């Protein structure tokens, strides 16, 4: 979300999505509120600090870790205030293990991705941190059924060996797909039997791998799909995987009519030969990616537009 006022952000979210609110992130507040820093603050027995090149693992919790945890606490306070008596699904999100490994640096300045042992330690720390975070949200909003979203925009680059080294002159070796899948499965386990969504607004989202790892839903930018994705998406839907289809732009601009926004979803459905009556139970309408770069006015309009577009899809699946 844009801006830096936690209470205003939560008020907007709970007002826009009465049936599926979420805990907002406000990266405009600075280091520790950004995507990587916020999740680094959740880690257990691993700490990170800000360096000119980015977030780097350190020996002890410093001011950057404390700032990240303070802002998260502020957000949770606001969420608790505006969800009194709420019962229903509630989404919380964090960075997934592979995107975190691609962006967190070791002491030598290289990405944690360069060291298999560091990747294992990072994933284990993240899983424990997520367990504690989910327990805290459940304590504050006892009627909520938590949905965990893991953001993995760098996952495809990890799989294809496209993450650049600190020097920028080479790339880190591609990680074995079975290892990627196994680590994801372990981190998903932090939520027990609860639903997990994996989000990536990058091209070539590995739908089949995520489904095998246990993701119940995949969130993606619909405009980046190609017909070569059809088979894996069709298999995912038929196996019960929910699609969070990003159809509303994440930055300011004109919004089409709600029915026009989901035209691509209907086209995909016809191309896959899927039953129209599956749409309402298989698809959630979302922005294409985060709205941190949008104006507050546009963010509110985009959320309202998502609700209207979803209603259009449910009322007229054909």
């Amino acid at each position: 979300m844009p801006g830096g006022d936690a209470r205003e952000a939560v008020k907007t979210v709970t007002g826009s999505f009465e049936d599926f609110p979420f805990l907002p992130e406000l990266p405009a507040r600075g280091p520790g509120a950004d995507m990587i820093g916020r999740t680094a603050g959740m880690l257990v027995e691993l700490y990170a600090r800000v360096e000119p090149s980015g977030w780097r693992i350190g020996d002890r919790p410093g001011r950057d870790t404390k700032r990240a945890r303070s802002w998260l606490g502020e957000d949770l306070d606001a969420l608790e205030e505006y969800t009194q008596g709420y019962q229903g699904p509630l989404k919380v999100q964090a960075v997934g293990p592979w995107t975190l490994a691609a962006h967190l640096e070791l002491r030598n300045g290289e990405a944690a991705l360069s060291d298999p042992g560091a990747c294992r330690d990072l994933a284990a720390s993240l899983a424990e941190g997520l367990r504690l975070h989910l327990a805290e949200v459940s304590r504050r909003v006892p009627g909520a059924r938590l949905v965990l979203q893991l953001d993995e925009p760098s996952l495809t680059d990890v799989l294809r060996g496209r993450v650049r080294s600190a020097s920028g002159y080479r790339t880190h070796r591609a990680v074995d797909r079975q290892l990627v899948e196994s680590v994801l499965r372990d981190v998903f386990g932090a939520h027990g039997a609860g639903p997990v969504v994996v989000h990536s607004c990058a091209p070539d989202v590995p739908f089949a791998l995520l489904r095998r790892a246990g993701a119940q839903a995949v969130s993606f930018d619909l405009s980046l799909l190609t017909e070569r994705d059809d088979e894996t998406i069709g298999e995912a839907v038929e196996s019960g995987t929910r699609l969070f289809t990003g159809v509303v732009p994440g930055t300011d601009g004109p919004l089409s009519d709600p029915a026009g926004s989901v035209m691509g979803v209907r086209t995909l459905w016809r191309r896959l030969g899927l039953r129209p009556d599956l749409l309402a139970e298989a698809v959630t309408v979302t922005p294409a990616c985060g709205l941190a770069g949008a104006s507050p006015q546009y963010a509110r309009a985009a959320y309202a537009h998502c609700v209207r577009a979803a209603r259009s899809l449910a009322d007229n699946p054909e």
Side-chain angles (χ1 to χ4, degrees), residues 89-178:
L90 170 67
K91 183 169 74 70
V92 298
Q93 59 277 335
V95 176
W98 293 108
T99 295
L100 201 59
H103 289 270
L104 264 186
E105 298 174 357
L106 301 174
R107 292 173 181 81
N108 64 4
E110 287 294 351
L113 188 67
S114 65
D115 182 335
C119 289
R120 285 194 299 273
D121 291 345
L122 189 57
S125 175
L126 175 62
E128 183 59 26
L130 288 172
R131 271 190 282 271
L132 295 173
H133 178 53
L134 292 165
E136 175 67 7
V137 178
S138 291
R139 185 185 69 77
R140 289 171 178 262
V141 193
R145 300 191 306 275
L146 298 186
V147 176
L148 173 62
Q149 175 178 308
L150 292 176
D151 295 322
E152 282 283 16
S154 298
L155 181 58
T156 301
D157 286 344
V158 168
L159 288 166
R160 298 190 175 181
R162 296 196 301 224
V163 176
R164 292 205 166 273
S165 65
S167 68
Y169 293 120
R170 62 181 184 85
T171 56
H172 295 292
R173 184 180 303 171
V175 181
D176 180 78
R177 296 180 76 88
Q178 289 185 325

Side-chain angles (χ1 to χ4, degrees), residues 1 5 46 74 82-83 118 122 125 151 153 155 186 226 228 230 254 256 267 273 276 282 295:
M1 290 281 286
D5 187 329
L46 280 179
E74 184 180 309
Y82 282 98
T83 53
L122 189 57
S125 175
D151 295 322
L155 181 58
D186 289 345
T226 65
R228 68 172 179 268
D230 282 3
S256 69
T267 300
S295 66

Side-chain angles (χ1 to χ4, degrees), residues 30-51:
D34 61 295
M35 189 172 82
I36 299 300
R38 184 179 179 90
T39 300
M42 296 180 190
L43 297 175
V44 173
E45 296 182 0
L46 280 179
Y47 311 103
R49 64 179 185 273
V50 177
E51 297 286 345

Side-chain angles (χ1 to χ4, degrees), residues 130-256:
L130 288 172
R131 271 190 282 271
L132 295 173
H133 178 53
L134 292 165
E136 175 67 7
V137 178
S138 291
R139 185 185 69 77
R140 289 171 178 262
V141 193
R145 300 191 306 275
L146 298 186
V147 176
L148 173 62
Q149 175 178 308
L150 292 176
D151 295 322
E152 282 283 16
S154 298
L155 181 58
T156 301
D157 286 344
V158 168
L159 288 166
R160 298 190 175 181
R162 296 196 301 224
V163 176
R164 292 205 166 273
S165 65
S167 68
Y169 293 120
R170 62 181 184 85
T171 56
H172 295 292
R173 184 180 303 171
V175 181
D176 180 78
R177 296 180 76 88
Q178 289 185 325
L179 177 60
V180 168
E181 184 181 324
S182 172
V183 167
L184 286 171
R185 188 180 297 110
D186 289 345
V187 175
F188 294 172
H191 195 19
V196 176
V197 184
V198 177
H199 168 73
S200 175
C201 48
D204 301 319
V205 176
F207 289 92
L209 183 152
L210 295 173
R211 180 167 56 87
R212 289 194 305 270
Q216 283 87 353
V218 180
S219 171
F220 58 96
D221 181 343
L222 185 70
S223 70
L224 297 179
L225 285 188
T226 65
E227 291 193 15
R228 68 172 179 268
D229 297 310
D230 282 3
E231 185 177 346
T232 54
I233 291 178
E235 289 173 354
V237 172
E238 289 175 345
S239 70
T241 303
R242 192 170 184 88
L243 305 181
F244 282 40
T245 54
V247 299
V248 177
T251 52
D252 291 43
L255 294 168
S256 69

Side-chain angles (χ1 to χ4, degrees), residues 18-82:
E18 296 177 358
D19 300 321
F20 193 18
F22 62 91
L23 176 64
E25 297 177 358
L26 300 171
R29 292 181 294 196
D34 61 295
M35 189 172 82
I36 299 300
R38 184 179 179 90
T39 300
M42 296 180 190
L43 297 175
V44 173
E45 296 182 0
L46 280 179
Y47 311 103
R49 64 179 185 273
V50 177
E51 297 286 345
S53 55
W55 283 89
R56 182 171 297 181
I57 294 172
D59 298 320
R60 59 183 66 86
R63 64 181 182 181
D64 297 321
T65 297
K66 292 174 183 174
R67 186 188 300 120
R69 291 176 177 175
S70 174
W71 272 326
L72 180 57
E74 184 180 309
D75 297 342
L76 288 170
D77 289 344
L79 182 72
E80 184 176 6
E81 177 183 349
Y82 282 98

